């Protein structure tokens, strides 16, 4: 059976994926208007990258909470380290690419990240988590 | 008066940017996690609530890292 905090993480994960989908669709529309086809690719890649990294954070805490304290922190912090390293490598690979529009990619990533923070805050503020739970 | 080069650097300045974008959030996430461990050690029955609060702290801190790493696309 799921604890209330596990239910909360599942809800946040669903909402974050929906947000990335919305940013991808909206960004594609704006991208094709302002930057042409590279704008579409940029917004889709930016939204996809943010979705994967947001999901990695929530997923690591969600599944880590089933492990002991050491396993939990190994998964959360190891996941964070891996994520930042992957993100830096991916951005390095994308930087010279001609099919990417830099400003569109930046705004897709920032829009998804800030929207994700708003969702996280909303989910936590509206959560009902008992003080003591087994 | 002639201009003299005393030192010369080669390489990409973006590497320094990556370091700056990683160091702040790295310290931030370390502080969030260390305080959560301390709190769970004091009151293990509160682990669920503390993990949720920790997640929010990590999310805000890592947002800074992700935005910092993406800045070369707009300022580069």
């Amino acid at each position: 059976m799921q604890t209330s905090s596990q239910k909360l993480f599942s809800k946040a994960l669903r909402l974050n994926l929906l947000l990335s989908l919305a940013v991808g669709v909206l960004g594609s529309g704006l991208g094709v208007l302002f930057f042409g086809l590279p704008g579409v690719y940029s917004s889709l890649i930016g939204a996809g990258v943010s979705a994967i990294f947001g999901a990695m954070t929530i997923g690591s805490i969600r599944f880590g909470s089933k492990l002991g304290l050491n396993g939990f922190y190994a998964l959360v912090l190891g996941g964070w380290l891996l994520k930042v390293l992957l993100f830096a490598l991916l951005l390095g690979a994308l930087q010279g690419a001609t099919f990417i529009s830099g400003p569109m990619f930046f705004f897709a990533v920032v829009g998804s990240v800030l929207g994700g923070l708003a969702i996280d805050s909303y989910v936590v503020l509206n959560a009902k988590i008992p003080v003591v739970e087994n | 008066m002639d201009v003299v080069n005393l030192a010369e650097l080669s390489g990409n300045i973006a590497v320094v940017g990556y370091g700056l974008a990683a160091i702040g959030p790295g310290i931030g996430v370390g502080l969030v996690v260390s305080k959560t461990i301390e709190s769970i050690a004091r009151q293990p029955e509160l682990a669920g609530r503390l993990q949720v609060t920790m997640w929010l702290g990590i999310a805000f801190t890592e947002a800074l890292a992700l935005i910092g790493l993406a800045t070369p696309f707009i300022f580069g």
Side-chain angles (χ1 to χ4, degrees):
Chain A
M1 194 183 140
Q2 282 189 328
T3 61
S4 47
S5 58
Q6 285 171 345
K7 280 182 198 159
L8 180 138
F9 290 129
S10 303
K11 184 182 174 188
L13 192 58
R14 275 197 309 275
L15 289 177
N16 268 300
L17 292 178
L18 280 177
L19 171 85
S20 295
L21 195 68
V23 168
V25 172
L26 190 70
S28 298
L30 291 174
V32 80
L33 272 180
F34 293 107
F35 303 101
L37 207 54
V40 178
Y41 295 141
S42 307
S43 70
L44 289 178
I45 294 174
V49 165
S50 306
I52 291 169
F53 290 129
M56 274 177 82
T57 305
I58 300 174
S60 66
I61 299 178
R62 164 81 174 73
F63 295 107
S65 61
K66 289 180 180 172
L67 306 171
L69 201 57
N70 291 336
F72 174 73
Y73 286 107
L75 201 61
V76 172
L77 293 178
W80 195 78
L81 186 66
L82 185 72
K83 185 167 58 176
V84 174
L85 193 66
L86 282 178
F87 194 61
L89 289 175
L90 182 78
L91 294 189
L94 284 178
Q95 217 165 10
T98 49
F99 61 92
I100 287 286
S101 154
M104 196 63 228
F105 180 79
F106 178 79
F107 288 119
V109 169
V110 171
S112 298
V113 167
L114 294 184
L117 286 181
I119 286 178
D120 295 350
S121 306
Y122 167 80
V123 169
V124 170
L125 289 175
N126 287 289
K128 290 188 178 69
I129 300 173
V131 173
V132 178
E133 190 168 44
N134 287 324
Chain B
M1 193 181 128
D2 293 336
V3 177
V4 179
N5 260 350
L6 291 178
E8 187 176 303
L9 290 176
S10 62
N12 196 339
I13 193 70
V15 177
V16 180
Y18 169 70
L20 290 174
I23 193 167
I27 294 171
V29 169
L31 280 175
V32 170
V33 171
S34 79
K35 289 294 172 185
T36 309
I37 293 174
E38 199 177 306
S39 306
I40 292 177
R42 285 174 194 270
Q43 285 181 286
E45 70 278 9
L46 278 180
R49 284 190 86 154
L50 292 169
Q51 281 164 1
V52 170
T53 314
M54 182 192 81
W55 160 56
L56 203 57
I58 289 181
F60 272 86
T61 316
E62 81 179 4
L64 210 59
L66 296 182
I67 293 171
L69 289 176
T71 45
F73 282 88
I74 197 161
F75 299 125

